[in-house]
Amino acid sequence: MWWFQQGLSFLPSALVIWTAAAFIFSYITAITLHHVDPALPYISDTGTVAPEKCLFGAMLNFAAVLCVATIYVRYKQVHALNPERNCIIRLNKAGLVLGLLSCLGLSLVANFQKTTFFIVHVCGAVLTFGMGSLYMFVQTILSYQMQPKIHGKQVFWIRLLVVIWCGVSAFSMLTCSSLLYSGSFGTDIVQKLHWNPKDKGYVLHMITTAAEWSMSFSFFGFFLTYIRDFQVRKHRIRPVWSNFLQVENENFL
């Protein structure tokens, strides 16, 4: 049996691979058609102009569905492993809400381009990165609470390092983008897809885009830590998906 055939470990794997493919394909298309500069464009800039925006939107919408499934399965798994600890139950529910809001934001980013619906696009980005970062933080706390009986210390430390990585990237992106869009560097920055090193605000732009890509990679790294958790051991817990189907059957009857 291959590793991705064990339990539901294919879910976080598929989520990361599919989302990365969405970024790569839209980036290659945008670069080939000279719609953006090769040097670190905003992720959303690679999905702003047709035809790459069609590919970007369709693939990220499906990524949002995969993300919802992954977050829900994680929620059910934590609940099944800790049915009586109130602190973990509350954190688990909070994580579910934060994760679903992040998925909603991802769908908004996919369908509303910044050059057309800037406010909606920014709201989607705030939900995706903001709620997503909080989701990762909550899950890291859960990992700490569940060690060493359920989680090993190594899992907790890996997730903590990824959350710190995400936090540093988020702080850099927020600080530099706030300065960049303050109005001191012109009013056409929202519509700007091509940057020249001599342009005002070029350094801030590069730091912001680098931080955005870095933050996205931290999300990838965090979800990859779910693979071992989703390789469910039968002697420790029944498969989460079986529990879900059982509940649905009981409700139906």
Side-chain angles (χ1 to χ4, degrees):
M1 179 180 292
W2 295 94
W3 62 268
F4 57 83
Q5 294 176 301
Q6 300 177 30
L8 293 174
S9 59
F10 69 89
L11 269 178
S13 307
L15 170 61
V16 171
I17 293 171
W18 184 267
T19 309
F23 292 170
I24 293 170
F25 291 155
S26 59
Y27 173 82
I28 292 175
T29 305
I31 293 299
T32 303
L33 298 176
H34 305 288
H35 290 162
V36 295
D37 299 320
L40 289 177
Y42 285 109
I43 295 174
S44 55
D45 281 358
T46 65
T48 298
V49 183
E52 60 266 21
K53 73 175 182 180
C54 305
L55 180 66
F56 185 80
M59 293 189 72
L60 280 193
N61 280 326
F62 187 68
V65 174
L66 288 174
C67 194
V68 168
T70 302
I71 289 169
Y72 180 75
V73 169
R74 174 62 179 171
Y75 164 78
K76 294 292 290 184
Q77 184 183 52
V78 172
H79 177 74
L81 289 170
N82 303 273
E84 298 178 354
R85 297 183 61 181
N86 291 330
C87 177
I88 290 182
I89 290 173
R90 288 194 295 268
L91 283 173
N92 195 31
K93 289 181 179 178
L96 176 65
V97 173
L98 291 170
L100 294 180
L101 287 174
S102 180
C103 296
L104 173 62
L106 183 61
S107 183
L108 291 176
V109 169
N111 293 288
F112 296 91
Q113 289 74 37
K114 77 168 191 177
T115 55
T116 308
F117 301 98
F118 180 70
I119 296 178
V120 179
H121 183 86
V122 170
C123 288
V126 169
L127 285 174
T128 302
F129 290 119
M131 298 299 103
S133 300
L134 291 176
Y135 170 79
M136 290 163 58
F137 179 70
V138 169
Q139 289 298 324
T140 303
I141 296 176
L142 285 172
S143 298
Y144 176 78
Q145 294 286 340
M146 293 190 294
Q147 67 171 355
K149 293 183 178 180
I150 298 172
H151 278 304
K153 291 183 178 180
Q154 184 179 12
V155 173
F156 162 70
W157 283 110
I158 291 174
R159 288 177 181 165
L160 180 60
L161 288 174
V162 174
V163 167
I164 293 173
W165 171 16
C166 178
V168 172
S169 300
F171 178 77
S172 302
M173 183 175 68
L174 181 62
T175 303
C176 294
S177 61
S178 298
L179 293 172
L180 187 62
Y181 287 92
S182 63
S184 303
F185 302 98
T187 58
D188 62 336
I189 293 180
V190 174
Q191 306 291 332
K192 196 169 185 176
L193 298 178
H194 295 278
W195 287 79
N196 189 291
K198 296 181 180 180
D199 292 341
K200 291 183 178 180
Y202 178 78
V203 175
L204 288 174
H205 165 74
M206 294 301 292
I207 295 174
T208 303
T209 55
E212 183 187 46
W213 282 96
S214 176
M215 196 172 181
S216 299
F217 289 140
S218 71
F219 276 52
F220 292 165
F222 192 88
F223 279 110
L224 287 176
T225 65
Y226 281 176
I227 291 177
R228 288 194 64 182
D229 291 341
F230 282 25
Q231 292 172 338
V232 183
R233 295 179 177 86
K234 292 183 179 180
H235 69 278
R236 295 181 65 178
I237 178 175
R238 288 182 299 170
V240 177
W241 194 250
S242 298
N243 291 341
F244 172 72
L245 292 177
Q246 181 182 0
V247 171
E248 290 297 314
N249 289 333
E250 289 176 356
N251 292 337
F252 178 76
L253 294 175

